[in-house]
Amino acid sequence: MTSPAAAASSGTPDEAKDSAGKSGRTARVRRSLRRFGPIFGILVGLVAVVVVGYAWLLTWTDHEWYASVGEDSVFWTRYASIWAVWGTSTALNFVALLLASRSAWAAVGAKGRFRAVTAVAAFAVAAAMGVTMSNNWMVFRLAWAQSPFGITDPQFGLDVGFFVFTLPALELLVGWGFQLILLAMAVHVTIVFISSRLDYTGRIHADWWRVRRIFWRLLAALMVVAAASFVLKVWQLSYSTTQTAFVGASFTDVTVQLPGLVAMVGVCLVIAVVLAITSGQRNFAPAVWSFVGLVVMALLTSTLVPAGVQRFWTRPNEATLELPYLARNVAMTRVAYQLDQVASQTHEGADTVPSTDTAQVRDELSTAAVWSSSTVAQAFNQLQTIRPYYRLSKISTDRYRIDGKLEQVLVSAREISPSNLPSAGSSFVNRRLVYTHGYGLAISSASQTSKEGFPQFLVGDVPATVSPTVRDASSLTITQPRVYYGPDQSDWVVVNTGMDEFDYPSGTKNVRNRYAGGDGVTVGGPLNRLAWALRLRSIDLLVSGYVHDDSRILLNRGVVARAQKIAPWLTYDTPYAAIVDGRITWIVDAYTTSDHFPYSQTLPNSSPFPNGTNYVRSSVKVTVDAETGQMHFYAVGADPVRDAWERIFPGVISHDTIPASLAAHLRVPMKLFTAQTQVFAKYHVSDPTVFYNQEDTWRIPSDASGNTLSPQYVLLDTAGTGTGLDLVQPYVLPNRDDLVGWLTASSEPGSYGAKTVYTLPKSRVILGAAQVSARINQDPDIAQQLTLWNQPGSTVTFGSMLVLPIRGSTVYLQPVFLTAQNNAITELVGVVAVNGSSITLGSTLPDALAKAFPDTTGGG
């Protein structure tokens, strides 16, 4: 009898030839793999050296900068946090992927090199996933260092800090768990299916029952993570918008959705147990029926039952059933945006200003802003840029006490822009060593006009000159005019070199300067210089003879970028320049935000903050010296989010009293106030019944041309304690243009941030901006004058209308501008003042006020 082995060896000649060919190919593949192994190892080693070397270069140069500004602790805390998250995540990822790959190789019987190669690949993937996770280091640090809000969530009885600090970290961990287990499953299955079909593995035959056992256990782990995700969904009901338009758990969410989610937690855990028990059995039925039950349960608890209860029980009885939950939304939303701190006053809404008060009104409105940043832009660019290598920063609003009176002004700093130099002059020496800084400020009055109809500049030209119209120039005197740091300074420069710096032009020559600010990283010896040349990608820095060992590199010269290096957890507004103790100082409003404040309504998409934001605080004021780059972070008001970050970065935020010279230039941020006014349009109502009926909803008005009346900075004496800088936002009815009130916020040091709502009587109609705009356009005298101005080659435009509560009445002011073709400077040709039924047009603000509020005392 022929043995099986002999029978197998006695095949046809073609079969034997084919078998020999396959064996030869397999042998050649294996020899190639053995030759490629050392090469692969060398390549991996070289890549590792390059990656580690570059990481060291970035880390060392970063540390040098942090040390130069005295913030070593921030560097170590930040990098330790990033590396801790990366290391922990990478280790866990690697272990999971390595176990998945080894179990797969074990199932197909492969050994040696295959496992080594997949181990390297597993580490590479794990490290990449770790980088993604390390980008969220701030979420984990904040969860660890959280501070209580002192406010209890109305549904679960937890401190709001749990939702703002802990829940985002838990969400990240659960998402990471899903991702890791799914990836492990994919690795396991991929290795088994591919390796069992490739010739070079020698036609490996997989142990499919072993493969299924491991896969079942991975599915069990996935179900445990799914159970955790349903636990999170219970807490996430505090942000639910599934059943209602308001944010937060509704009646249906609490009575139906919540028990359903708890049930889903139990179902997922039961399925995990079933999968773990049956992983060693060959019976598929329990697992299949478990997943069928999961799908049915999910449909019932998340869709069918909640939808039925909402449609046939909750909606017909909504006014009663939803009222307690709506009350939660109203209360928490008002807290999240600090609208619970708004004082309320009734404004009389008289038809006209009392005749006995006209003199006071003229004086109070004499500083009203008829110029805005947009209408003065051409004048600033054409009259104050001076040279092509200068660039003006974004024009901002501020106030200075000039000649004993508070004056609202528009301010812009003159930054350097070497990129605007002619190409022949755009060399390394010019860009990095010579043109290192800007010079001075341009300041114009927001209310005054020159005889040509242009903005009246109070400070301008190079070097800075104060206007002769100013008698007391003490508040406008600049003792340090150089601008090394600014919003648009993204380039690095080198100071203390063999070249003098350009300071400012003077006649046919240029005035030179040497940096005296004290900031910068020392270039150092050859190795240090090489490191900086690599980091900044500049061979010129390495070889230039003008750069010495004691030369200093000024880095991170952008104001916001500089502040972000120290406090990356803050959101920064646009910087604005001010004269503080004679020095040009950049002031930046910084915010903490969250999208996890329970029951708080999210900001609309038109908000200046990211979509989903439902908590905002402007709790930090940042200053950056324009010459030295020195930064100060001042705490303003209460903010648990900021307090938590202070635990992580102690010493960064100062709770010292803000110097009076700085406090005089702080403003309530336009960005914050805009968001608050958007929410306040509905949430000025605190009664949930009135809120539900929407019977007292307001809206932000537009003028007759459809231009939205956004908040405006104005100098007012709203509290009767003296003129101060306020932000003012008028409101009108939703479907009509009738004026209903204002929301104001004070920027003055003694009442900073205090908000007041002025409500008008509901018993009569008071005209809003659109109605007043229509009246202005219909006035025959004004219409005739507009026709005369609006000739070919010129365009007449109306500026933003001011709607102001004055002396129990409402006054409307609107400037009129004339713009010629060919980018001519915008010219103010008139100001319209409306006082009751009186509509007057003056050539300037004083002229318009004199006509609208004539002196009735006979004093002239």
Side-chain angles (χ1 to χ4, degrees):
M1 180 178 288
T2 305
S3 67
S9 64
S10 62
T12 65
D14 290 340
E15 290 176 344
K17 183 178 180 180
D18 183 59
S19 176
K22 289 183 177 180
S23 299
R25 286 196 300 273
T26 301
R28 286 195 298 273
V29 169
R30 288 176 175 172
R31 287 195 297 272
S32 299
L33 287 173
R34 282 195 294 271
R35 288 195 299 269
F36 179 72
I39 298 174
F40 177 75
I42 292 172
L43 290 176
V44 170
L46 288 175
V47 170
V49 168
V50 171
V51 170
V52 171
Y54 186 66
W56 173 87
L57 176 68
L58 295 179
T59 304
W60 180 82
T61 49
D62 267 0
H63 174 263
E64 289 296 288
W65 180 81
Y66 278 100
S68 73
V69 296
E71 295 290 355
D72 289 72
S73 61
V74 172
F75 169 85
W76 290 115
T77 300
R78 183 173 182 174
Y79 270 81
S81 301
I82 292 172
W83 284 103
V85 174
W86 179 85
T88 303
S89 175
T90 299
L92 294 174
N93 294 336
F94 178 64
V95 169
L97 296 179
L98 186 65
L99 291 175
S101 63
R102 289 198 171 186
S103 64
W105 286 123
V108 298
K111 301 178 180 179
R113 184 172 292 108
F114 298 115
R115 292 190 175 189
V117 171
T118 51
V120 173
F123 181 79
V125 173
M129 293 174 64
V131 170
T132 301
M133 187 62 78
S134 68
N135 292 333
N136 297 300
W137 67 272
M138 289 191 287
V139 176
F140 296 111
R141 284 306 306 260
L142 199 58
W144 186 263
Q146 61 181 281
S147 57
F149 272 71
I151 304 170
T152 302
D153 166 73
Q155 177 60 41
F156 301 104
L158 299 171
D159 186 88
V160 168
F162 169 81
F163 296 89
V164 173
F165 300 127
T166 305
L167 190 55
L170 295 177
E171 290 168 347
L172 278 175
L173 290 174
V174 168
W176 166 76
F178 268 120
Q179 183 184 39
L180 183 59
I181 294 173
L182 290 173
L183 186 59
M185 294 169 70
V187 167
H188 184 79
V189 172
T190 300
I191 289 175
V192 170
F193 273 91
I194 292 179
S195 64
S196 64
R197 284 164 171 75
L198 293 181
D199 283 347
Y200 69 80
T201 61
R203 289 286 187 181
I204 296 173
H205 296 284
D207 182 351
W208 293 109
W209 287 113
R210 185 174 182 177
V211 170
R212 200 214 72 168
R213 181 169 64 251
I214 297 169
F215 193 77
W216 246 231
R217 290 172 181 173
L218 287 173
L219 277 177
L222 192 67
M223 286 297 98
V224 173
V225 177
S229 73
F230 281 110
V231 172
L232 297 188
K233 287 181 183 295
V234 170
W235 291 319
Q236 288 168 346
L237 288 176
S238 291
Y239 319 113
S240 172
T241 56
T242 305
Q243 310 297 343
T244 61
F246 63 84
V247 172
S250 64
F251 173 81
T252 302
D253 290 329
V254 172
T255 57
V256 179
Q257 198 88 17
L258 179 56
L261 290 172
V262 173
M264 287 300 297
V265 173
V267 169
C268 288
L269 292 177
V270 168
I271 293 176
V273 172
V274 170
L275 289 171
I277 292 174
T278 60
S279 63
Q281 303 174 4
R282 301 198 173 193
N283 184 4
F284 287 88
V288 172
W289 284 111
S290 295
F291 279 105
V292 170
L294 176 67
V295 172
V296 172
M297 191 69 177
L299 286 173
L300 287 173
T301 59
S302 66
T303 305
L304 298 179
V305 175
V309 171
Q310 178 68 22
R311 176 62 187 88
F312 298 107
W313 176 247
T314 306
R315 190 181 299 175
N317 304 285
E318 192 175 56
T320 302
L321 297 179
E322 295 289 15
L323 208 59
Y325 305 99
L326 183 58
R328 297 174 177 180
N329 170 263
V330 172
M332 297 297 274
T333 298
R334 288 168 62 86
V335 169
Y337 299 107
Q338 294 179 299
L339 301 179
D340 58 325
Q341 303 170 14
V342 177
S344 180
Q345 289 190 23
T346 300
H347 188 68
E348 183 181 343
D351 293 333
T352 60
V353 170
S355 58
T356 55
D357 293 342
T358 54
Q360 294 92 325
V361 170
R362 286 199 307 273
D363 181 66
E364 191 171 336
L365 294 179
S366 63
T367 55
V370 294
W371 292 98
S372 65
S373 58
S374 60
T375 55
V376 301
Q378 284 289 353
F380 270 65
N381 288 331
Q382 294 192 33
L383 300 178
Q384 292 299 326
T385 301
I386 308 296
R387 290 291 187 272
Y389 42 75
Y390 285 132
R391 174 173 52 196
L392 293 174
S393 65
K394 185 177 180 180
I395 301 169
S396 60
T397 297
D398 201 351
R399 73 283 198 196
Y400 289 82
R401 190 161 296 279
I402 301 171
D403 297 335
K405 186 175 183 179
L406 205 60
E407 178 84 20
Q408 188 169 342
V409 298
L410 297 163
V411 184
S412 179
R414 197 174 289 105
E415 298 184 74
I416 197 70
S417 180
S419 59
N420 290 335
L421 287 169
S423 57
S426 185
S427 62
F428 168 78
V429 172
N430 279 340
R431 288 176 60 90
R432 306 298 186 188
L433 312 182
V434 176
Y435 290 90
T436 57
H437 61 276
Y439 199 94
L441 299 175
I443 302 178
S444 73
S445 170
S447 57
Q448 299 176 31
T449 307
S450 70
K451 60 182 180 181
E452 297 89 358
F454 300 155
Q456 178 65 56
F457 283 97
L458 305 175
V459 177
D461 301 333
V462 175
T465 304
V466 178
S467 170
T469 61
V470 178
R471 296 187 300 275
D472 180 5
S474 58
S475 64
L476 300 175
T477 301
I478 305 174
T479 57
Q480 195 303 106
R482 295 172 185 87
V483 182
Y484 285 87
Y485 297 87
D488 300 315
Q489 298 303 298
S490 57
D491 282 347
W492 52 273
V493 296
V494 187
V495 297
N496 194 25
T497 67
M499 297 290 293
D500 288 337
E501 303 166 39
F502 167 80
D503 205 21
Y504 59 87
S506 178
T508 58
K509 297 182 179 180
N510 294 329
V511 177
R512 299 290 176 171
N513 178 65
R514 302 287 293 182
Y515 181 66
D519 185 53
V521 180
T522 304
V523 171
L527 289 179
N528 283 13
R529 184 186 289 205
L530 175 62
W532 283 111
L534 291 172
R535 174 66 188 264
L536 300 174
R537 300 177 185 180
S538 173
I539 188 67
D540 295 307
L541 179 63
L542 181 64
V543 301
S544 175
Y546 298 118
V547 180
H548 308 142
D549 290 354
D550 60 350
S551 297
R552 305 182 74 85
I553 307 172
L554 304 188
L555 300 163
N556 300 311
R557 296 200 299 143
V559 172
V560 171
R562 191 172 182 82
Q564 282 176 330
K565 295 285 284 186
I566 305 302
W569 41 274
L570 290 169
T571 300
Y572 295 91
D573 211 331
T574 303
Y576 63 96
I579 304 172
V580 180
D581 296 326
R583 303 181 65 86
I584 297 176
T585 302
W586 295 102
I587 302 174
V588 192
D589 296 302
Y591 310 93
T592 60
T593 61
S594 175
D595 55 5
H596 276 70
F597 199 92
Y599 277 95
S600 175
Q601 200 71 18
T602 55
L603 291 172
N605 292 337
S606 59
S607 161
F609 291 95
N611 290 347
T613 300
N614 67 355
Y615 170 91
V616 183
R617 289 291 185 275
S618 176
S619 57
V620 179
K621 298 289 185 181
V622 185
T623 64
V624 179
D625 188 279
E627 182 194 28
T628 66
Q630 186 176 15
M631 293 170 282
H632 292 284
F633 295 76
Y634 294 100
V636 179
D639 181 11
V641 177
R642 180 202 62 210
D643 295 343
W645 281 113
E646 284 190 78
R647 290 191 176 92
I648 301 170
F649 294 104
V652 170
I653 305 296
S654 170
H655 287 267
D656 295 339
T657 302
I658 297 176
S661 56
L662 173 61
H665 297 284
L666 298 183
R667 312 173 312 187
V668 171
M670 178 72 74
K671 191 173 180 179
L672 171 67
F673 190 69
T674 298
Q676 290 174 324
T677 58
Q678 290 174 330
V679 177
F680 194 71
K682 284 187 176 181
Y683 286 86
H684 65 277
V685 176
S686 57
D687 187 308
T689 302
V690 177
F691 188 95
Y692 173 79
N693 293 327
Q694 297 289 292
E695 62 187 64
D696 196 20
T697 300
W698 297 349
R699 69 177 173 89
I700 295 172
S702 301
D703 60 20
S705 302
N707 301 313
T708 302
L709 265 66
S710 300
Q712 294 170 286
Y713 288 105
V714 294
L715 288 176
L716 284 177
D717 183 12
T718 52
T721 57
T723 301
L725 187 68
D726 284 9
L727 266 172
V728 178
Q729 174 64 69
Y731 288 100
V732 295
L733 292 173
N735 300 315
R736 295 174 57 86
D737 293 315
D738 302 347
L739 189 66
V740 293
W742 298 264
L743 181 65
T744 68
S746 172
S747 295
E748 291 310 298
S751 56
Y752 180 85
K755 292 179 286 293
T756 304
V757 59
Y758 296 88
T759 55
L760 291 163
K762 298 182 179 180
S763 57
R764 63 179 186 276
V765 172
I766 298 172
L767 299 183
Q771 296 160 326
V772 172
S773 292
R775 287 186 59 200
I776 292 172
N777 291 328
Q778 294 166 3
D779 184 274
D781 295 333
I782 295 178
Q784 182 181 10
Q785 185 60 60
L786 293 178
T787 302
L788 292 174
W789 283 328
N790 208 7
Q791 297 297 319
S794 300
T795 303
V796 175
T797 57
F798 284 99
S800 298
M801 178 179 288
L802 294 175
V803 184
L804 305 174
I806 301 290
R807 304 279 169 166
S809 179
T810 306
V811 173
Y812 309 81
L813 296 174
Q814 188 167 32
V816 184
F817 299 99
L818 184 65
T819 305
Q821 293 179 349
N822 302 321
N823 294 321
I825 298 174
T826 300
E827 177 185 350
L828 187 139
V829 292
V831 176
V832 179
V834 179
N835 176 26
S837 59
S838 170
I839 302 177
T840 57
L841 173 64
S843 58
T844 61
L845 177 62
D847 184 35
L849 295 177
K851 292 179 179 179
F853 308 100
D855 192 349
T856 59
T857 62

